[in-house]
């Protein structure tokens, strides 16, 4: 599976939007882009995933660059409960049986 | 519905001992994966089982083994424990769905993990 690059940490003020970037320059045509987050003392939880088009769900939005070499997870209004480590993962469901988690981005939300 | 449950939540062992960690997937999920998470790092893939067969293995020594039972629950066994095996062990279950253009869609649901400390 191709690898991703994320900033180690980011800060955001509460109730403001947060844009979490991810670079994946070696992405292949069959790689889905997944985002998971891990709150303190919990296992990771699914946030969103997409292939080519931008995606929205109740938790977040995923903006995918036209060349698919980067993507951005958007939290529209950060809350204190959004403080977590966010992982950007590429997954080829046609061949891969595992998710490769990097070190992720640790998001701090400031009240 | 109950989520993924793991037991025990915490465990303390000494070097050389063996340990068995247990996982019950979400009802209806036939795939179970195991991950190891060392402090400060992301989870690392150990095994995946689907329909009681091993479907993937990560870069872990043979001291690590696993199995899946007919009810789709799973056990992770680690023999001859080393200090470096101290970590959070996560189990994830998934429901593989067939998506468009023949692509499979899979979303992982994780348990809260078993914190293993090896002294």
């Amino acid at each position: 599976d191709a690898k991703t690059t994320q900033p180690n940490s980011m800060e955001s003020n509460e109730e403001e939007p947060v844009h979490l970037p991810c670079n994946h320059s070696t992405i292949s045509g069959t790689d889905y882009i997944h985002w998971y987050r891990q709150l303190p003392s919990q296992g990771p939880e699914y946030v969103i995933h997409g292939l080519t088009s931008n995606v929205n769900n109740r938790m977040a939005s995923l903006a995918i660059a036209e060349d698919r070499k980067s993507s951005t997870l958007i939290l529209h209004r950060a809350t204190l409960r959004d403080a977590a480590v966010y992982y950007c993962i590429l997954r080829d469901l046609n061949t891969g049986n595992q998710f490769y988690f990097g070190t992720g981005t640790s998001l701090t939300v400031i009240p | 519905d109950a989520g993924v449950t793991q037991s025990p939540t915490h465990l303390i062992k000494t070097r050389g001992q063996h340990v068995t960690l247990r996982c019950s997937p979400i009802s209806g999920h036939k795939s179970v994966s195991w991950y190891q998470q060392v402090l400060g790092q992301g989870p690392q893939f150990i095994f995946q089982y689907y329909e009681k067969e091993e479907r993937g293995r990560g870069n872990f020594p043979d001291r690590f083994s696993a199995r899946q039972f007919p009810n789709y629950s799973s056990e992770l066994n680690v023999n001859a424990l080393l200090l470096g095996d101290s970590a959070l062990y996560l189990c994830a279950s998934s429901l593989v769905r067939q998506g468009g253009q023949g692509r499979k869609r899979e979303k992982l649901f994780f348990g809260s993990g078993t914190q293993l400390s090896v002294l």
Side-chain angles (χ1 to χ4, degrees), chain A residues 8-86:
Chain A
N8 289 332
S9 62
M10 291 185 64
E11 287 186 352
S12 173
N13 293 318
E14 194 176 10
E15 298 188 3
E16 290 188 356
V18 182
H19 291 234
L20 298 166
C22 181
N23 289 319
H24 29 78
S25 58
T26 60
I27 191 171
S28 72
T30 52
D31 279 331
Y32 278 83
I33 302 163
H34 288 248
W35 284 83
Y36 282 73
R37 73 179 185 181
Q38 187 171 20
L39 281 65
S41 302
Q42 295 187 27
E45 66 172 344
Y46 169 84
V47 177
I48 201 167
H49 78 282
L51 183 63
T52 56
S53 304
N54 294 343
V55 184
N56 299 292
N57 66 22
R58 64 175 181 81
M59 290 182 69
S61 296
L62 176 60
I64 302 173
E66 192 170 341
D67 63 5
R68 302 214 319 132
K69 294 184 183 300
S70 65
S71 61
T72 302
L73 179 70
I74 302 167
L75 306 179
H76 296 286
R77 287 180 72 247
T79 69
L80 296 179
R81 289 176 294 178
D82 291 323
V85 178
Y86 287 78

